[in-house]
């Protein structure tokens, strides 16, 4: 069967789920176009985890070796009390219940680059553009790009993240599907004043926390400030100045490295501010448009499973499209076979449930006791949710 007979697919988003999906669709004979609003593949960013079933996905893609080379191998997490005394130092896999020597932790930019390189010569990439309108017809989807170009595709896939534009265009406002988990966070890079190397230091008091994370050796680290808030700060979402003022006010009276972190945050040119939330949808498709990864089922960074769900979801969607008789049955099979795995991993965290950053004094005391136990006991068994789906 010729590639053209498989159909033309537009994928919105060139971060993780999008290029992974493009890889598999091309392998199955589809003509794929990926559109990305950024002007290039985005580098940098926090370390991300690849665990369980997702490891098998990247092995089948043939990119396991370069990702093993990019593996960070963080050596320890040190937890501090409000007065900066050490509570415990533990191995990261003990905290997240990962599999040492099997699971991966890589800089986000390394993963996006490796995925892009695996497919860049086989599919069409359009950068610095995005979808403006989608018109779904029985035999095609007519797309107008923000740059003014009009094209038609057989299918459209939204792989454009938590705040998906594709989802908003075809299934309505994000507010219908957004499950706020009661926390906000600000991330930025800062000088490595503590001389950290392959480690993270985490400071906590009830309702807020701070992290300095050294990916490898170097003079810069990732800074991270998180805090509880009953309602999302909608007024700050599109106002960087309001974001900085909000974070500074929350941490105004705290010690340790917090004043220094707030000082750097105020001037950072790479500040990323958002809420901790999930996307929960009753359906992942409509007509000839379907969603994958965070656009359909963001689990929140508190689960550590966003990247893995995106990789697994891309594999499952492409496989369904390659084997089903039509797109309707493919979308149904994708959701039927993938949703239980997704929901198991989303359910690893609930509203106000942030094990590493507790909201109350009692929860903080319980977390600290758990950490002391982890520092002296054998590593706990891996989470079965990470590997709860066996790939077809």
């Amino acid at each position: 069967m010729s590639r053209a007979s498989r159909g033309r697919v537009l994928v919105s988003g060139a971060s993780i789920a999008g290029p992974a999906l493009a890889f598999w669709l091309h392998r199955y004979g589809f003509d794929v176009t990926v559109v990305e609003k950024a002007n290039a593949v985005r580098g940098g960013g926090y370390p991300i985890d690849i665990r369980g079933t997702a490891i098998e996905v990247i092995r089948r893609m043939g990119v396991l070796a370069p990702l093993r080379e990019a593996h960070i191998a963080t050596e320890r997490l040190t937890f501090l009390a409000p007065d900066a005394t050490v509570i415990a130092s533990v191995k990261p896999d003990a905290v997240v219940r990962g599999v040492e020597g099997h699971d991966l932790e890589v800089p986000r930019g390394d993963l996006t680059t490796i995925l892009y390189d695996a497919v860049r010569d086989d599919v069409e990439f359009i950068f610095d553009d995005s979808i403006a309108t989608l018109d779904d017809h029985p035999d095609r989807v007519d797309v107008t790009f923000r740059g003014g170009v009009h094209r038609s595709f057989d299918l459209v896939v939204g792989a454009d993240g938590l705040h998906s534009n594709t989802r908003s265009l075809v299934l309505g406002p994000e507010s219908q599907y957004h499950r706020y988990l009661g926390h906000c966070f600000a991330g930025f890079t800062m000088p490595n004043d503590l001389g950290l190397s392959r480690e993270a230091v985490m400071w906590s008091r009830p309702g807020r926390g701070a992290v300095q994370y050294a990916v490898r050796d170097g003079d810069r680290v990732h800074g991270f400030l998180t805090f509880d808030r009953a309602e999302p700060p909608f007024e700050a979402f599109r106002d960087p100045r309001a974001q900085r003022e909000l974070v500074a006010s929350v941490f105004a009276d705290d010690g340790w490295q917090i004043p220094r972190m707030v000082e750097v945050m105020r001037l950072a040119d790479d500040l990323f501010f958002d809420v901790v939330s999930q996307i929960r949808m009753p359906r992942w498709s409509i007509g000839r448009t379907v969603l994958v990864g965070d656009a359909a089922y963001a689990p929140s960074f508190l689960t550590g499973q966003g990247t893995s769900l995106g990789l697994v979801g891309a594999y499952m969607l492409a496989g369904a499209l390659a084997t089903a008789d039509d797109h309707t049955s493919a979308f149904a099979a994708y959701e039927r076979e993938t949703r239980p795995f997704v929901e198991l991993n989303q359910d690893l965290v609930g509203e106000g449930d942030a094990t590493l950053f507790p909201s109350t004094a009692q929860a903080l005391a319980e977390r600290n006791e758990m950490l002391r136990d982890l520092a002296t006991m054998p590593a706990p068994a891996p989470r079965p949710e990470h590997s709860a789906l066996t790939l077809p």
Side-chain angles (χ1 to χ4, degrees):
M1 184 177 292
S2 66
R3 288 191 59 218
S5 66
R6 283 287 196 179
R8 298 155 299 164
V9 182
L10 173 64
V11 178
S12 177
S15 181
I16 293 171
L21 178 66
F23 176 93
W24 291 111
L25 289 177
H26 169 75
R27 175 169 289 191
Y28 293 135
F30 291 87
D31 288 318
V32 184
T33 297
V34 180
V35 62
E36 166 58 47
K37 66 181 180 181
N39 58 16
V41 172
R42 298 178 184 181
Y46 272 80
I48 53 85
D49 298 301
I50 307 171
R51 305 185 185 123
T53 303
I55 294 289
E56 178 62 13
V57 172
I58 61 171
R59 187 192 68 79
R60 295 185 185 189
M61 292 181 72
V63 297
L64 181 57
L67 286 170
R68 288 262 180 239
E69 291 181 8
H71 179 55
I72 294 168
T74 299
E75 295 176 354
R76 62 184 170 272
L77 306 178
T78 299
F79 292 83
L80 304 180
D83 64 359
T85 56
V86 174
I87 297 164
S89 287
V90 299
K91 287 190 172 184
D93 287 320
V95 176
V96 302
R97 291 178 60 184
V99 182
E100 187 172 3
H102 181 264
D103 295 351
L104 292 172
E105 180 190 27
V106 299
R108 183 182 181 86
D110 287 20
L111 175 59
T112 57
T113 299
I114 287 168
L115 293 176
Y116 174 63
D117 288 345
V119 75
R120 62 187 298 177
D121 295 331
D122 299 318
V123 308
E124 176 189 17
F125 278 85
I126 302 172
F127 290 102
D128 198 22
D129 209 345
S130 60
I131 299 171
T133 65
L134 290 172
D135 293 312
D136 198 302
H137 301 278
D139 62 340
R140 69 188 190 282
V141 184
D142 292 335
V143 177
T144 301
F145 294 95
R146 294 200 186 279
V149 174
H150 304 275
R151 291 175 62 177
S152 295
F153 299 89
D154 296 291
L155 302 171
V156 173
V157 183
D160 43 354
L162 174 69
H163 305 299
S164 169
N165 173 57
T166 309
R167 184 184 62 230
S168 296
L169 288 172
V170 298
L171 286 162
E174 179 178 316
S175 57
Q176 300 178 70
Y177 315 113
H178 186 272
R179 183 191 183 202
Y180 176 58
L181 297 181
H183 312 279
C184 305
F185 68 93
F188 47 93
T189 56
M190 63 178 292
N192 187 6
D193 296 335
L194 299 178
L196 303 177
S197 175
R198 296 180 181 269
E199 62 184 308
V201 178
M202 308 177 73
W203 172 96
S204 298
R205 71 184 317 150
R208 54 194 185 274
V211 182
Q212 292 190 29
Y213 195 150
V215 172
R216 295 189 176 95
D217 299 320
D219 59 2
R220 305 286 291 177
V221 297
H222 293 286
F224 185 85
L225 296 166
T226 181
F227 56 96
D228 294 357
R229 189 177 172 90
E231 298 294 333
F234 294 111
E235 71 283 355
F237 282 153
R238 290 177 174 81
D239 185 348
R241 181 176 179 181
Q243 295 167 11
R244 298 173 201 271
E245 292 300 326
L246 173 61
V247 176
S249 67
V250 169
F251 290 89
D253 299 324
D254 292 318
W256 185 55
Q257 288 274 309
I258 305 302
R260 169 65 168 152
M261 295 181 72
V262 170
E263 174 192 7
V264 174
M265 180 272 301
R266 283 188 178 277
L267 300 174
D269 59 6
D270 58 356
L271 176 66
F272 180 76
F273 178 89
D274 207 342
V275 295
V276 181
S277 57
Q278 296 181 335
I279 295 296
R280 299 263 189 164
M281 304 188 70
R283 59 187 299 187
W284 298 341
S285 65
I286 184 169
R288 290 179 168 269
T289 301
V290 64
L291 305 173
V292 68
D294 281 355
Y297 34 79
S300 92
F301 79 84
L302 294 178
T303 68
Q305 282 294 91
T307 296
S308 294
L309 292 188
L311 291 167
V312 172
Y315 180 90
M316 297 297 288
L317 174 57
L321 287 167
T323 55
D325 293 333
D326 55 58
H327 71 277
T328 302
S329 55
F331 292 169
Y334 156 60
E335 185 164 341
R336 182 177 63 250
E337 295 167 8
T338 313
R339 183 180 282 275
F341 176 66
V342 162
E343 292 183 347
L344 274 175
N345 283 276
Q346 287 186 316
D347 289 344
L348 289 172
V349 65
E351 292 183 31
D353 177 16
T355 302
L356 295 183
F357 304 105
S359 298
T360 66
Q362 179 179 345
L364 182 61
E366 292 172 352
R367 186 212 67 173
N368 292 347
E369 189 62 31
M370 176 199 72
L371 291 171
R372 294 185 185 102
D373 289 343
L374 288 177
T376 58
M377 298 172 62
R383 285 196 182 275
E385 295 88 348
H386 297 169
S387 301
L389 187 152
T390 301
L391 298 180

